Amino acid sequence: SPHQVVRDLELRVRVVALAGGPLAVPHQDQRGVALGEPLGERAWAVRVHSKPFVRWVWLGGLLMALGGVVAALDARYRRLAVKDAARERRGSEGTAARPAGAPA
């Protein structure tokens, strides 16, 4: 039979108010079908979309955040920060306030 049910779809729609009238916008899922406005008798505009790599985008963001945390916790960077702070303290100790025009 040519009219066979392949899969039931769950209806989730947001209605956005526009100057030309309301527009039904589908939720941002990975796959979806949007039923638009009627084009004539028994004819409708239909938009089918698939976004198979949405999970990869989120996974990439989480992976970068994890990398930032690991880098911030690395002991090598903390040792460098301690050395730099000590070097700045030593450099500032030898530069006492001199009167203007006094030789260095």
Side-chain angles (χ1 to χ4, degrees):
S1 161
H3 301 291
Q4 180 180 359
V5 175
V6 176
R7 182 176 176 186
D8 289 332
L9 298 176
E10 180 182 329
L11 179 62
R12 291 188 288 167
V13 175
R14 293 178 294 149
V15 177
V16 180
L18 296 175
L23 175 69
V25 180
H27 281 269
Q28 295 299 318
D29 291 337
Q30 292 182 7
R31 292 184 199 101
V33 178
L35 181 63
E37 54 191 49
L39 299 176
E41 190 174 326
R42 298 186 54 122
W44 288 79
V46 177
R47 183 178 72 215
V48 179
H49 66 272
S50 175
K51 299 176 184 177
F53 298 112
V54 170
R55 285 194 179 118
W56 287 102
V57 171
W58 285 105
L59 182 65
L62 292 174
L63 187 63
M64 288 192 296
L66 178 66
V69 169
V70 169
L73 296 176
D74 191 355
R76 292 176 291 180
Y77 294 117
R78 287 196 302 267
R79 281 191 299 241
L80 286 175
V82 169
K83 286 181 185 177
D84 287 344
R87 192 175 307 133
E88 286 180 17
R89 279 194 304 261
R90 281 188 302 234
S92 64
E93 289 172 358
T95 58
R98 295 189 180 102

